[in-house]
Amino acid sequence: MSAKSKNNLHIFAPKVIGMNVFSAFDTGVMVALLLGIEFLRSDIRTILYCKMNDPRILKSCLYTLLILLTSLYSIVAGAMLHPEPVPVYELIPGFQMGVYDFSVFYGFVRHALMLREQVAWCRELSEELFLHDVLYYRINTEQISDCRSFFYDCLKDRINGLSVEQAVLEINYWCAEQGTYQSTDERTISPMTFYECGNGRCGEESVFTVTALRSAGIPARQVYSPRWAHCDDNHAWVEVYVNGGWHFLGACEPEEVLDKGWFTNASSRAMIVHTRRFSDYGADGTGYREECIGRDGCVRFYNVTSRYAKTRDWKFQVVKADGKPAEGAKISIQLMNMAEHSQIAELMTDADGMAQIQMGIGSFYLHVEKHDMWTEKLVTPEREAVGNKNGHDGVILVQLDG
C-alpha cells in the first residue's frame, strides 16, 4: 500500500530479459496475502470470542497461516531475484476495480510498457510523467475502455519519422478528421464513443485528443477553466509535455504551431485554470510543481493559471467574532456564471486562519464557513487596492458571523 495514499495500490513489474513485464501471478500473490491476513484475523477473533476449543477453527487458522507463509515466501523470493522493481501501474480507488474487468487495466499497462520500450521520446520521460500522463487510463469522468492500442495502430504510420512536436501537431490533425464540436450536457463520453459518433463538446474533444496523444507515448493532460470570468460558459483544452515543458493546443482544432488556439484571448482573462491528477504519486517530481488548489477523494487539482493569464497571490485571513484566527475554515471562491455563484476553487485555513491562492486579476465572491459560522464577501481588485494603501498588506480579512 502506498505510504502517501490509502486509495492507491502500487503494482510492481520485475525486470525480466531486459523488459518491464506486468505479471498477473505477482498480483495474485498480493491478493492471496491480503485475503490470508483478513481470514486469519477473522479466525483469531472467532477463537477469542466464540469457540476457543473448536478444532475446525484451529485447522482453518493453520491453513490460512500456510497461505500467508507461501505468499510471503513468493514476495521475498521475487524481491531477491529482482531487487529494483519498477512501478508501472497505480490502481484507482477500489470501487472501480469492481466496475471494470481487470483485463481493461492490463491493456493500458501492456500498451504503455510497449511504448516505454520502443518509442524514443517515451523512453526519455521521467517516471512521474510516464505514470500520470502516458500510462494512466483516466482523463475525466469518461467510461473506461481499452482503446490505446487501437488508436496507436491508427497513428503510428502517420507519425513515423517525425519529431515529438511534429507528431503532436499531426495527431491533432488526425483528431480533427475524426470528430467535431457539438454541445452536450451528459456524462463525458469515452474516446471510442467520440471516435464512433464523430462529435462531442470541448471536454469530450479534449479527452479524445489526450487519449490519442498518450496512445503514441506523448505526455498529455486535460486543462480546464471551470467558469469564465468575462462571460457565461467554460472551456477545456489540452496540454502536452514536449521539449522539457508543457504547451497547449485546442483539441481537434489543429494549428501549425503549439501554444495557439481560439481561446488564447479568453484564457488570458481567466480567474483560474487547472488540471487534475488521480494520485499523489511523485507529487514533487519533474513537471508537477504547480500549486495544488484542492482535492476530491484521490483526485487533485493543480493550478496552471499563470501560464495563460496575469495573476496575483490572493491572501485571506479568516477570524471569529472575537478576532481570533479560525483554523479549518472552508473558503469557497465563486464566480457569477450561468445566473448563479459557481465555485472555481476551495481553500482551507491554517492555524493562523490564513489561506492563499494564485489567481487571475478580477472580481469574485467568497463564501466562508466553519461549523455553524459563515459569512459572504464580494472581492474586487479596486477595493483591495484601496485596502493595501491603508496598510492591509494585501491580506483580505474575513470575519465569521454567528
Side-chain angles (χ1 to χ4, degrees), residues 4 65 162 175 188 203 230 262 272 295 307 316 347 355 385:
K4 295 182 180 178
L65 187 59
L162 300 181
C175 290
T188 302
H230 62 282
W262 70 263
I272 198 80
R295 59 180 297 175
R307 189 168 296 128
F316 311 97
L347 308 175

Side-chain angles (χ1 to χ4, degrees), residues 9-16 19-24 26-27 84-92 102 105-117 126-137 148 281:
L9 178 64
H10 296 267
I11 296 179
F12 294 89
K15 288 185 177 179
V16 180
M19 294 181 62
N20 295 332
V21 179
F22 180 83
S23 171
D26 295 336
T27 308
E84 297 181 358
V86 180
V88 296
Y89 186 44
E90 284 192 317
L91 284 177
I92 50 176
F102 181 79
F105 302 117
Y106 176 71
F108 283 93
V109 176
R110 179 179 54 196
H111 182 71
L113 293 181
M114 179 278 293
L115 295 170
R116 190 71 157 170
E117 180 70 21
S126 69
E127 185 177 279
E128 292 85 358
L129 284 168
F130 172 71
L131 288 174
H132 289 296
D133 301 303
V134 174
L135 185 150
Y136 206 80
Y137 65 93
R148 297 280 174 88
Y281 180 80

Side-chain angles (χ1 to χ4, degrees), residues 319-361:
V319 298
K320 304 174 186 177
D322 59 6
K324 295 181 179 179
E327 180 181 3
K330 185 186 299 183
I331 302 176
S332 174
I333 300 174
Q334 304 171 354
L335 291 178
M336 178 61 73
N337 195 292
M338 297 289 188
E340 65 178 4
H341 288 126
S342 300
Q343 179 173 292
I344 60 171
E346 185 176 274
L347 308 175
M348 195 73 70
T349 58
D350 60 18
D352 296 320
M354 298 292 296
Q356 70 177 65
I357 185 174
Q358 186 182 61
M359 294 197 309
I361 302 172

Side-chain angles (χ1 to χ4, degrees), residues 46 103 115 160 188 196 220 228 245 287-288 302 323 333 336 384 399:
T46 302
S103 62
L115 295 170
N160 184 38
T188 302
E196 291 167 352
W228 290 131
Y288 281 103
Y302 287 84
I333 300 174
M336 178 61 73
E384 295 312 313
Q399 181 172 310

